[in-house]
Amino acid sequence: MNLLEKYENVFQHIERPFAWLDYDALDQNIDFVNRLATKPVRIATKSVRSVSVLKYIQEKLVNYAGLMTFTAAESVYLIEQGFDHLLLGYPTFEENNIKKLLAYSRAGKDITFMVDAYEQVQLLQNCAEQMQTMAKICIDINISTNFKWIYFGTKRSPLDSLQKLKNFTDKLTDYPNIRIHALMGYEAQIAGVPDLSLANSRKMRAKGLVVRQLKKQSIEKITSFRRLAVAHVKSIAPVAFVNGGGSGSITYTCEQQEITEATVGSAFFAPALFDHYDTLNLQPAVGFALRVTRQFDAHTFVCQGGGYIASGAIGEDRAPVFLNENYQLLPLEGAGEVQTPFIDSTGSLTIGDTVYLRHAKAGELCERFTVLHGTRNMCYAGPILTYRGERQCFL
């Protein structure tokens, strides 16, 4: 029985559309991460967005470091669900939730706030001073590579040089309720950009040649700046951890001597974008199913729903992909808000059939479904609530 036949058998009683999680594939991906990650792994919650699945992955990781969360409200919620060792991956200005987190921190929870600007530090200082406690911070440095002719990486933290970092840390002594706890240098241009050597289109493969060359040229600059940055911060404060990486750079990140832990998220679900990384051997673990409700002609069918487009720079790689390679979206219509026309090159579908797709990114699919329907060993494994299913929405 092939994968599609398996899903048809397992999910025949489920109303369409629905989202699925394949535990067998998830287990393989967790094992893959365990083999590749020679340093502790911090789970990126944005790529999972389900308390049950986060706990499942946490229990199976050989060397678990904690969670990288994406908002203060989400962090509060996860603390309430029993999690600890949280690194807020992004700066926050939500004062009420900051104070809730500081209260948990004062009570013994391990919570670290991300900063790269004085405005962020000042708010944390004000809150911590009011509560007569300390706020632990992680300094986010920018290790993107500026080739002059192209900026390769992300435009987020302004701390892109050792001098800027020193200027920033020099003034942190003005904040008595702030404690430097960690440093993060995320190599987005390595971890977040697919290699594309096996992409389907000639245009994407040509882009991949440029991407792979840029990655090679970036590595030396990334390593040099990050090591100098870590040495500087360690010279002025005890550093509990240095965070780096992402699913697309597990091996590279763990090889770096200055890194103490790597963040991994998308690798567990293996969304469609991660089909195009040369170093990853992952199994699709999450996707969604739609019902065929119309037939336009012998090869053009229409399914209900499907417009689950991934965030990021607009392009064909942000659209969902079919598990069946014989099906293709129409370039002039794409995945639609309430219906999606597509081509079946075999013309074998009929109205009422089901088609299975994968989202381009990982956790974003969970914002569209309240439940992931599980399968294990070719049997139905029950429903798993997403954040949405728990009536939570953070971003």
Side-chain angles (χ1 to χ4, degrees), residues 36-42 63 65 68 87 138-141 143 182-188 219 222-231 234 239-246 249-264:
L36 244 62
T38 56
K39 293 182 179 177
V41 170
R42 189 176 292 273
N63 203 345
M68 177 181 281
L87 169 63
C138 176
I139 300 173
D140 184 9
I141 62 169
I143 55 175
L183 187 85
M184 183 178 83
Y186 171 46
E187 54 271 65
I219 286 175
I222 291 171
T223 302
S224 175
F225 175 39
R226 188 164 55 191
R227 287 180 181 174
L228 289 171
V230 171
K234 283 185 174 181
V239 174
F241 62 86
V242 178
N243 181 277
S249 66
I250 302 172
T251 301
Y252 164 76
T253 302
C254 290
E255 288 174 347
Q256 305 312 299
Q257 63 186 34
E258 74 278 8
I259 293 295
T260 66
E261 63 174 43
T263 298
V264 178

Side-chain angles (χ1 to χ4, degrees), residues 25-33 35-36 198 247-248 250-251 267-268 270 274-284:
L26 177 59
D27 286 346
Q28 289 183 60
N29 294 339
I30 295 171
D31 289 343
F32 181 79
V33 172
R35 290 194 303 272
L36 244 62
L198 300 177
S247 293
I250 302 172
T251 301
F268 299 117
F274 282 76
D275 292 348
H276 303 303
Y277 283 83
D278 294 345
T279 58
L280 299 180
N281 181 22
L282 302 170
Q283 302 302 313

Side-chain angles (χ1 to χ4, degrees), residues 9 66 86 120 157 219 226 258:
N9 182 57
L86 271 59
Q120 304 150 4
S157 169
I219 286 175
R226 188 164 55 191
E258 74 278 8

Side-chain angles (χ1 to χ4, degrees), residues 30 71 90 348 379:
I30 295 171
T71 74
Y90 313 87
S348 59
C379 295

Side-chain angles (χ1 to χ4, degrees), residues 6-18 291 354 356 371 373-375 378-383:
K6 165 191 167 181
Y7 289 161
E8 280 293 278
N9 182 57
V10 170
F11 299 125
Q12 57 183 315
H13 65 293
I14 305 296
E15 290 277 311
R16 276 70 165 145
F18 69 89
R291 180 82 70 187
T354 300
Y356 293 86
V371 165
H373 289 281
T375 174
M378 303 184 75
C379 295
Y380 184 65

Side-chain angles (χ1 to χ4, degrees), residues 295 297-301 326-327 343-350:
Q295 181 173 0
D297 58 30
H299 293 281
T300 309
F301 295 83
N326 294 314
Y327 307 157
I343 298 296
D344 169 17
S345 61
T346 66
S348 59
L349 283 169
T350 60

Side-chain angles (χ1 to χ4, degrees), residues 375-393:
T375 174
R376 184 191 297 278
N377 297 326
M378 303 184 75
C379 295
Y380 184 65
I384 308 122
L385 291 179
T386 64
Y387 282 177
R388 287 286 192 174
E390 294 166 339
R391 298 187 176 182
Q392 303 298 318
C393 176

